[in-house]
Amino acid sequence: MSAQNPPHASGPPPPRQDHASKGTNPLRRTSDKFESWFRGLLMLVLVLGLPVAALSAGTTAYESSMRTVQAQSAQRQDVTARLTSDVKGVTTDGKQQAQVRWTDDNGTVRTGTTLVKSGTPKGATVRVWVDRDGGLTSPPMSELNATTTGWFVGGMAAVGVGAGFFAARAGMRHVLDRRRYAQWDAEWDLVEPLWSGRFRR
């Protein structure tokens, strides 16, 4: 055998044991283990709770809005009214309050004030919404409004769950860090006199 060959036997070298197995780190404190466990629990809550909360809140808001849509559609109807005066001037939204007149189902002539597009001449017909009592009211909520409300509430629920996750994690970390700092201070109070005594010798 050549003198340049390595002294160990032929074959692959034995596996190295540079790192301790997971969970056996002697520097890992109880607070570190608790933090790791709690972070995993929060991640589980986030993964499972966020879609459930968003879907539940969004569906509830949508169904509630749809009941409102159905109720308002049954209680309100649109009728044809005529302007009793010219609509002059220009506003930022392009509409102004104007007097209108219409005849209800009983043949009674009614008047009221509603928003009309600026520049509409006197005598022009406009569509207005009236309630069961014959008074002017706003248009009923549409299905698009209900869908938008459902998506908005669901999104806000998801944001709330996410914010709760980060707040809980930050709060847990803050509490654990305060405890760790207190432990370090207590241990330093014990060790510091020994170190100081070494340098005074």
Side-chain angles (χ1 to χ4, degrees):
M1 182 175 68
S2 172
Q4 295 180 352
N5 291 335
H8 57 72
S10 62
R16 299 179 61 182
Q17 300 291 336
D18 292 342
H19 303 285
S21 61
K22 186 177 181 180
T24 60
N25 187 347
L27 299 179
R28 198 171 188 224
R29 301 157 296 187
T30 303
S31 61
D32 297 327
K33 297 177 182 178
F34 175 80
E35 181 179 359
S36 177
W37 172 85
F38 192 74
R39 187 185 296 115
L41 178 63
L42 287 179
M43 284 298 300
L44 180 64
V45 172
L46 178 67
V47 172
L48 298 180
L50 189 146
V52 171
L55 182 61
S56 177
T59 301
T60 301
Y62 172 76
E63 293 175 349
S64 176
S65 298
M66 282 302 300
R67 287 192 292 269
T68 301
V69 170
Q70 296 169 358
Q72 290 184 354
S73 298
Q75 297 171 357
R76 303 177 186 184
Q77 63 175 339
D78 62 330
V79 298
T80 301
R82 288 188 179 276
L83 284 176
T84 59
S85 62
D86 293 328
V87 182
K88 299 179 180 180
V90 179
T91 59
T92 55
D93 59 356
K95 292 185 177 182
Q96 284 186 332
Q97 294 284 347
Q99 287 285 333
V100 294
R101 182 175 62 245
W102 73 98
T103 303
D104 63 17
D105 295 337
N106 298 324
T108 303
V109 177
R110 293 178 175 271
T111 60
T113 303
T114 188
L115 287 173
V116 180
K117 185 178 180 180
S118 298
T120 305
K122 178 180 179 180
T125 59
V126 293
R127 302 295 292 181
V128 295
W129 287 89
V130 297
D131 55 23
R132 287 182 174 179
D133 297 329
L136 290 176
T137 185
S138 60
M141 180 185 291
S142 66
E143 293 187 14
L144 178 60
N145 296 137
T147 302
T148 303
T149 300
W151 278 104
F152 176 77
V153 173
M156 292 302 297
V159 171
V161 172
F165 165 79
F166 287 108
R169 189 174 68 171
M172 176 267 299
R173 187 65 180 269
H174 176 71
V175 171
L176 291 179
D177 283 345
R178 289 189 60 181
R179 183 176 180 182
R180 290 163 181 160
Y181 294 148
Q183 290 176 342
W184 289 339
D185 288 340
E187 293 173 358
W188 180 248
D189 289 340
L190 296 176
V191 174
E192 192 273 336
L194 300 178
W195 280 74
S196 300
R198 289 179 58 188
F199 291 108
R200 285 197 296 265
R201 293 177 183 175

